[in-house]
Amino acid sequence: MSLRGETVIIFDPERGEYVDTETGEVIEERVIDYGPEWRVYDDGDKAERERVGSPLTLRVHDQGLTTQIGQYGKVKDRLKLMKMQRLQRSIRVSTSRERKLVTLLTMLNAEASKLNLPEHVRETAALILRKVVENHSERRIDPYILIAAVLYWSCQINNIPMYLQEFRTKFGVSSGDFWKVMRRIRDVIPDFRPATTKPTKYIPRIIDKLRLPPIVGTKAAELVEYMYNKGLASGKSHLALSAAAIYIVSILLDNRRTQKEIGEALGVSDVTIRNKYKEIVERLGPITYKCKVCDFVLYRFEKVGQDYHGVKTPSDVKLMYAGKCPRCGHELGEPILVRRLEVIL
């Protein structure tokens, strides 16, 4: 360690002293060692000698407050030790309700790990699950449906963009069974309600799944944000609206993804995306391509069904005019989305 900006002062852990290696001067002595009083040589020794455990957590039925009773090599009466260990295990999980809670929490931790959910979401889910078990509301419910509903509700409360179709597909549950369990959860914890969220929260995950450039997500978020602020998104499926916005922007920025590709990636039917896409064009349209220099309208798409192949991409528009503006002769460049549905080339 250095106290002068150079590596000439060292710490002697045996004597508890800081010593100058050049002069031999003791800079400081009787330094308190805040570490443990025992030595360890491997991870096994450390685990045995530590007298503190992990922090309290709701993901364990007893919140992690448990006692580990001795090792065989450190006692004379091994038979007595084995009886104490057996008694400790029986006391730790004694009632049928505790055993059920242990089973459900084990399933919850396993499924949350598969979904790669953050720690605070898992803790919230464990709290919800405990409330459900305490109120005996888990009776006659498939455990996997209960775990799926609890994780989904926890994601909604913590504003994690996990959509419903993802949970239903992964756990293989029907819509009726899922919402039946959701009603029970809401009855048990009426104060646990997710805050109002904007449809833009789904866009980053959709962009990641479709492997689109970030600019597509940025422009799609601006489009959805505008619709949300104008009240055009009320009563609409946020996931479907975000998917339709990404579909339009991906075309306008020459990164086309088909409705079928987007629908398969998100578990949404392409018909749903098509209806939202039609609604966006009708309310915010028309879609126009203009020359960057002279503002000449190169292409105009006013309603769905106007062209058999749908909205043209910037590459298609360039091919129509051989890459140059017919009015000023400007070389048409990369697409730039300047307004909601207006692109300049």
Side-chain angles (χ1 to χ4, degrees), residues 1 11 53 71 74 92 225 236 239 277 298 327:
M1 182 177 177
F11 176 68
Q71 298 295 325
K74 299 181 181 179
R92 188 182 179 194
E225 184 75 20
K236 308 292 189 301
L239 179 62
Y277 149 64
L298 301 166
R327 176 186 288 179

Side-chain angles (χ1 to χ4, degrees), residues 8 25 40 47 53 65 87 115-116 118 124 126 133 199 244 264 268-269 314 332-333:
V8 294
E25 178 186 359
V40 294
L65 294 173
L87 179 62
L115 293 171
N116 199 25
T124 305
V133 174
E264 289 177 350
V268 179
S269 68
L332 300 177

Side-chain angles (χ1 to χ4, degrees), residues 63-115:
Q63 299 186 30
L65 294 173
T66 185
T67 302
Q68 296 292 337
I69 297 180
Q71 298 295 325
Y72 292 123
K74 299 181 181 179
V75 294
K76 296 181 179 179
D77 193 344
R78 293 193 177 187
L79 183 60
K80 185 176 180 180
L81 176 62
M82 292 173 63
K83 289 181 179 180
M84 292 177 63
Q85 290 176 338
R86 191 181 304 113
L87 179 62
Q88 168 66 15
R89 287 194 294 268
S90 64
I91 292 174
R92 188 182 179 194
V93 184
S94 56
T95 65
S96 61
R97 187 144 303 276
E98 286 185 349
R99 286 193 290 271
K100 182 177 288 187
L101 182 60
V102 169
T103 302
L104 292 174
L105 286 174
T106 302
M107 295 172 59
L108 177 73
N109 293 327
E111 298 301 329
S113 298
K114 293 177 184 177
L115 293 171

Side-chain angles (χ1 to χ4, degrees), residues 16 65 70 120 125 135 138 178 182 277 284 325 333 335:
L65 294 173
H120 66 281
N135 286 270
E138 84 289 353
F178 187 86
M182 287 299 303
Y277 149 64
L284 303 182
C325 175

Side-chain angles (χ1 to χ4, degrees), residues 52-71:
V52 295
S54 58
L56 295 179
T57 174
L58 296 173
R59 291 181 289 142
V60 182
H61 80 285
D62 57 3
Q63 299 186 30
L65 294 173
T66 185
T67 302
Q68 296 292 337
I69 297 180
Q71 298 295 325

Side-chain angles (χ1 to χ4, degrees), residues 207 212-219:
I207 292 295
L212 288 167
I215 185 62
V216 175
T218 302
K219 293 299 181 181

